[in-house]
Structures are given as C-alpha cells and as structure tokens.
Amino acid sequence: MKRTLLFALLFFIPLASQAQGTSPGQRVDKAVQAMGGEAALSGLKSLSVRARLKEWEPHQSVQAGGEMRFANESVYNQSRDLASGAVRTEWERNYSYPATRTYKFTEVVAGGIGYVNGIDSTGRTKQDLSSNPPQHTMSGMRVTTTTREMMRSSPTLLLEMKKNAKRVQAAPAQKIGDTSLPAVRYQSSVGAFIVTFDPATGLPERVRSRDYEPLEGDSNWDLVLSDWRDVGGVKYPFRQVTQLNGKNVTETTVEEASFNAAVDAKQYAIPEDYRAGAPKMADPAKVPYYWVLRRPIIGTLLDSDAVSYDSQANPGGLRLVDVAPGVSHVQGGSHNSLIVEMDTYLVVFDAPIGEAQSKWTINAAKQKYPGKPFKYAVLTHHHMDHSSGIRSYAAEGATLVVGQGNGEFFKKVLASPATLGPDAPKQKINAEVVEVSGRYIITDGKREVGAYLIENPHAAGYLIGYIPDAKLGFVTDLWSPGRDPLPAKINPALLSVVNGVKKWNLEPERFAGGHGSVGEYAGLAKLAETNQP
Ligand SMILES: [Zn+2]
C-alpha cells in the first residue's frame, strides 16, 4: 500500500499537475506576460530594427554532409508595420560564395504582393534586366515565404496566438539537444508553427516549422530566440538564429531595435508599375521553402514561381533538346539534366532543383522514349541545386550513381522520411546506391555511358559523364558551356575538366552542361594548352 502510494506520488501526481497546470493557453499567457504583458504588446504598432547576420548553406559543402559553406555576411535596416504586416528591408549583402560580390537592394512586401528595388541575385528575371534601375516584382512564393518568416519573428506573434486561442493546440514536448521543452502548436494563416518555451522565464525559445528538405527529408526549420532585452517596456530577442535540423544557417545579431517610431507610409509603397500584374501570395502548402529561403543565402534565387525558369523570358519552359542520337538535354531552366537512351532503359545525369523538375523530366522522357524506364541516375556532385530531385528517379527504380565519399550520404537521403514535400514520392525507396572511386561504365552491349571521378576545386567525389559514340561529355558547375564565355585566362575549375578528360583518355568533341547548353570542347582544350593559370 505504502509502495503504491509512493509510486502514485512520484509518477502520477507530477504528470497530472503538469497536465492541469500548463494548458497551451496558459503557456501562451505566460509568454505574453514575460514579454511585457498584453497591454504593452497591444500597443506595438511598428518595429524598426538594424541587424547584422552571417549565413551558411548546408548543401553547398565541399564534402557531402560536411562543413557548411559560409556564404555571406550582411546588414539590414528593417521597418515593419505590425498591424498590416507590411515590411521594408534595406539590405547590404556581402557574398563570399559562389563568388565574391555585394548586392544592395530593398525589399518591400505589403498587401499580399512584393517588390525588389536593386539587384538581389545572379539569377535575374527579364523584368529586372529590362528595368532601369533594376527592379522586379516578387514571385508569389517569395511573398508567402517572406510573410511566413515575418510572422515567425514578429514580436506580436504570441499576442496573436492569445487572441486566436482556437488555433492554439497542445503539442508534444520538443527535444532540443539534451533537453525537452514544452511546446504548443499554432495554425497561422501561412502554415503551422510549433512554439517552444523556456521553462525558467516562460519566454518563447524557438518558433519551428516542419518543412520538406530534399536531402534531409521532413525537417525542422527553427527560429531560435535569445538575448532578450527590454525595448520600451517590451522584451525583444537581440539574437535570432535560424536552424535547419539543428544546424545554424543564419545567425542574426540585432544592433538596434525600437517600437512605434514614425514610419512614412510611402516606405511600404510599391510603385504602380510593379503593382499591376504582381504575383499574388502562393499557396503556403505548395511553396518549396528550402529553395526560396536558401537560394538567397548564396545570392542565386531566380525570383519566379516557375522556380527554375522565368516564364516572362521563357514562356515555353523546360524542353528536351536532342543533342545527339538518343541523347536529350533538358534545357530551358536554370539547371539542366541529360538523358541517354539505351536499348531498354534510360540513364539520367543530375536531378536538379527539386522533385517537380524531376517529375517533368520523367514525364517528358516517357513520351519521347516510351517503355524505357530510368535505370540509372548519375549525380555529378552532391550540391542541393543539382541533386534535390533525386528521390523521384530512385522511386522510379533507378540505381543512384555517385562519386567517392558520397554513398553513405545519399543512402541516408533516400532513407529519410519525405511525407511533407508536395511533389516528393511518399513511398519507401529501396534504390541501390553505387559509389564510384574511379570510373563506372553503363553498357547495353552496344552503347556505353561512363561516369568518371575527377579532381576539381568545386566538390569532393565529383563525376563527369561521357558518351563515346556521341563524343559528348556532361559537366556541371566546373564549366557551363553555352552560358559562360571562356575567360581570357583559364581558371582552376575549367582546368580540372581538361585534366579529367586527359586522365581518362576521353575524346569529347562537345560537352553538355548542368547549366547553359552545349559547347565545343576544342576551345577549352586550346585555352588550357596555351594559357595556364
Ligand atoms: Zn555545385
């Protein structure tokens, strides 16, 4: 009897009191209180912030799954109208990857549309290129993403949750490192947030979304809040870190923050020329957040709802271009793949952008090469922009061929659950993964297709493709034939292609690119001979 009572005291009573004492509503109330109280938060009309930040891209690393690529160090001044949700951000982004450059531009999102004044990316739209000064409307996907991220970091998020109590639900405690933090779930107008709380202070600790990340599967995208300071009677977090599955992708330090400073309404005005025809907010359930959030980290977002092409510049979209008998190059987007026809099956090089582009490519190939499934998918390298559609090929039954050191990484990719990706195959994938430490030859007895490991400065375990009967190579990022003119002096990336061709005794006449189109090899070979770096 005594023992039973003790057991009850130790286990049941604490559980019961936890359940009774901390309803989701009470968690939210406590947080609102800790931030300064309902009256103080209700008085917040606008927020002005000056901040600096550093950003990293996890899947542009040298080694697959290795140290993240440091991408930029930036500063911004931001004004937000907390009632309407309008936001204006004046950026100075200083990039070190993929190339050193600085972009100064202003973003405005207001009234469900968005606009950018200035150059913000290497991937520029026709509208941007034909405006002087460069300006363009935001894609609907970027408007939705910005709106979601502004809501996530809003000082009035908890107040909004308190006012919309019906949309606040209990959530399981979230495991953060070695600890487990109490949490609630909030269904906002742009998707669900899971908010965790610091048990000591009651303040929100992070605001989490569950998103699809092609190489990591169903993932946590978190804004972690700390260094809370008093700003005019309200607590505001001066350190804000975004994490992808626990890895710091953005580290923001707020330098100045003030509430209710007078902001001229013109600051949020979008010029009439850019209002008409501006894309409306995209459906939050269909936005590929991993793309829209992370391409700006390396300064390469093509601001288009077609994702890989600008529908104004290229209304036709993606297309198969025959570059040799039984060889089709997927062109028309920012990133290409190459399809090679064998006797009874197909081989594809690279799976760029995401599952939507893979689906397009698989469907187009089914029409052009009926009855021939993809049996091999070869990745030149692991970078997310060239590999994020790999699940679709694996789900079709293709064997995945990757360079040395990438095998374990991609086995993990294919094993990770992908229930949250709108275009991701949902079934369990049992694809074989082949790791190439030299060369790998696919043959049907007549045609041969090879993948060759080459030394290069871009990514470890890198493969070039080669089809001997077509004298055609395939290369991604080291050389973008048809897009980038050859420089006056050869660079290490281009030289690595030439050295790879020599090493493996290949005799290419042309190369098709993961970017660009198809180019003659002779010019590059000559540049390498006459002009060492
Ligand atoms: Zn790359």
Side-chain angles (χ1 to χ4, degrees):
M1 186 65 194
K2 249 187 189 169
R3 211 178 254 180
T4 316
L5 186 65
L6 188 64
F7 185 74
L9 279 169
L10 277 174
F11 295 94
F12 291 106
I13 292 174
L15 275 178
S17 70
Q18 194 182 20
Q20 280 166 11
T22 51
S23 71
Q26 283 168 317
R27 289 262 180 238
V28 171
D29 284 353
K30 198 181 166 198
V32 165
Q33 216 48 52
M35 288 175 74
E38 187 171 356
L41 291 177
S42 298
L44 302 183
K45 304 299 173 215
S46 68
L47 168 65
S48 304
V49 162
R50 178 180 166 77
R52 59 188 161 82
L53 57 93
K54 286 183 179 180
E55 295 190 297
W56 291 260
E57 168 49 54
H59 298 302
Q60 291 285 340
S61 50
V62 172
Q63 203 84 44
E67 196 182 316
M68 296 190 292
R69 188 81 74 159
F70 175 66
N72 78 79
E73 192 159 3
S74 302
V75 291
Y76 65 77
N77 284 296
Q78 189 173 70
S79 309
R80 298 169 64 169
D81 181 320
L82 297 168
S84 71
V87 56
R88 174 193 179 88
T89 312
E90 294 165 4
W91 283 99
E92 182 183 318
R93 281 184 171 277
N94 301 299
Y95 287 98
S96 41
Y97 182 85
T100 307
R101 64 224 193 271
T102 294
Y103 293 141
K104 289 184 187 178
F105 59 97
T106 299
E107 283 177 318
V108 178
V109 171
I113 58 173
Y115 146 84
V116 178
N117 185 0
I119 296 171
D120 64 336
S121 173
T122 45
R124 297 177 61 189
T125 60
K126 185 181 174 185
Q127 185 189 32
D128 186 77
L129 288 163
S130 52
S131 321
N132 187 13
Q135 296 176 326
H136 71 272
T137 51
M138 278 186 192
S139 60
M141 287 178 174
R142 184 165 171 184
V143 175
T144 301
T145 301
T146 306
T147 305
R148 186 182 83 157
E149 297 310 307
M150 286 300 113
M151 198 177 284
R152 186 193 306 279
S153 64
S154 173
T156 52
L157 175 66
L158 271 292
L159 181 67
E160 182 193 308
M161 290 166 68
K162 185 177 164 68
K163 287 180 177 164
N164 295 283
K166 275 187 201 152
R167 293 196 262 142
V168 176
Q169 292 172 335
Q174 304 288 301
K175 200 172 175 299
I176 310 293
D178 297 333
T179 59
S180 178
L181 293 181
V184 304
R185 185 179 190 278
Y186 177 58
Q187 188 61 48
S188 84
S189 56
V190 280
F193 292 126
I194 296 163
V195 181
T196 65
F197 299 90
D198 179 339
T201 61
L203 289 164
E205 184 267 345
R206 74 184 56 211
V207 185
R208 166 170 288 178
S209 296
R210 296 282 296 157
D211 287 341
Y212 175 62
E213 206 289 335
L215 300 179
E216 303 191 28
D218 297 345
S219 291
N220 293 325
W221 180 260
D222 295 356
L223 177 68
V224 186
L225 309 167
S226 62
D227 190 12
W228 292 84
R229 298 188 198 172
D230 187 89
V231 179
V234 167
K235 287 247 172 1
Y236 184 74
F238 273 58
R239 182 164 168 84
Q240 304 185 12
V241 173
T242 49
Q243 294 185 340
L244 171 66
N245 292 323
K247 299 180 286 285
N248 288 11
V249 166
T250 302
E251 294 180 355
T252 300
T253 303
V254 174
E255 291 182 332
E256 284 173 40
S258 61
F259 290 113
N260 299 346
V263 178
D264 186 343
K266 280 187 201 140
Q267 295 280 300
Y268 303 117
I270 295 175
E272 192 49 44
D273 285 357
Y274 296 90
R275 296 184 65 82
K280 299 281 181 297
M281 268 183 82
D283 177 354
K286 292 187 178 148
V287 174
Y289 292 104
Y290 69 90
W291 191 260
V292 186
L293 286 165
R294 286 179 29 217
R295 295 297 279 175
I297 289 178
I298 56 172
T300 55
L301 180 73
L302 176 67
D303 202 356
S304 161
D305 286 310
V307 186
S308 85
Y309 61 90
D310 171 15
S311 15
Q312 275 188 36
N314 176 22
L318 300 174
R319 60 187 185 271
L320 294 186
V321 176
D322 294 334
V323 294
V327 184
S328 299
H329 199 201
V330 180
Q331 294 183 6
S334 55
H335 295 63
N336 311 326
S337 47
L338 188 77
I339 300 166
V340 187
E341 181 188 25
M342 308 298 278
D343 57 352
T344 58
Y345 60 91
L346 302 173
V347 180
V348 69
F349 284 89
D350 280 354
I353 310 280
E355 311 299 348
Q357 182 154 333
S358 294
K359 275 189 173 171
W360 183 93
T361 306
I362 290 166
N363 286 335
K366 274 185 179 154
Q367 283 170 31
K368 183 157 179 75
Y369 304 109
K372 296 192 177 184
F374 283 98
K375 199 171 162 188
Y376 296 93
V378 186
L379 293 179
T380 55
H381 65 303
H382 67 278
H383 288 169
M384 53 95 93
D385 52 327
H386 298 284
S387 63
S388 284
I390 195 59
R391 271 174 218 267
S392 295
Y393 293 101
E396 290 275 306
T399 290
L400 178 52
V401 180
V402 297
Q404 190 170 32
N406 291 333
E408 283 310 310
F409 177 81
F410 279 100
K411 278 180 194 162
K412 222 172 124 189
V413 168
L414 297 180
S416 58
T419 63
L420 302 173
D423 296 302
K426 305 290 188 286
Q427 74 266 35
K428 201 172 173 339
I429 294 169
N430 292 309
E432 201 186 324
V433 178
V434 174
E435 192 176 295
V436 181
S437 55
R439 68 179 152 192
Y440 187 76
I441 306 296
I442 298 163
T443 177
D444 61 9
K446 214 171 152 200
R447 171 168 257 184
E448 266 187 15
V449 179
Y452 299 86
L453 193 77
I454 67 163
E455 295 286 326
N456 75 98
H458 188 69
Y462 184 105
L463 300 171
I464 55 171
Y466 185 59
I467 308 150
D469 66 61
K471 290 193 176 293
L472 179 73
F474 182 75
V475 61
T476 295
D477 287 349
L478 300 174
W479 179 27
S480 299
R483 189 191 73 176
D484 303 339
L486 289 175
K489 207 168 161 59
I490 198 159
N491 60 43
L494 292 170
L495 186 62
S496 70
V497 177
V498 176
N499 289 340
V501 164
K502 280 188 197 156
K503 178 185 173 177
W504 293 107
N505 296 313
L506 310 179
E507 296 173 328
E509 284 175 357
R510 295 173 302 150
F511 264 88
H515 299 286
S517 55
V518 178
E520 299 293 326
Y521 177 68
L524 177 59
K526 195 169 166 222
L527 182 69
E529 259 171 49
T530 55
N531 197 341
Q532 293 290 319

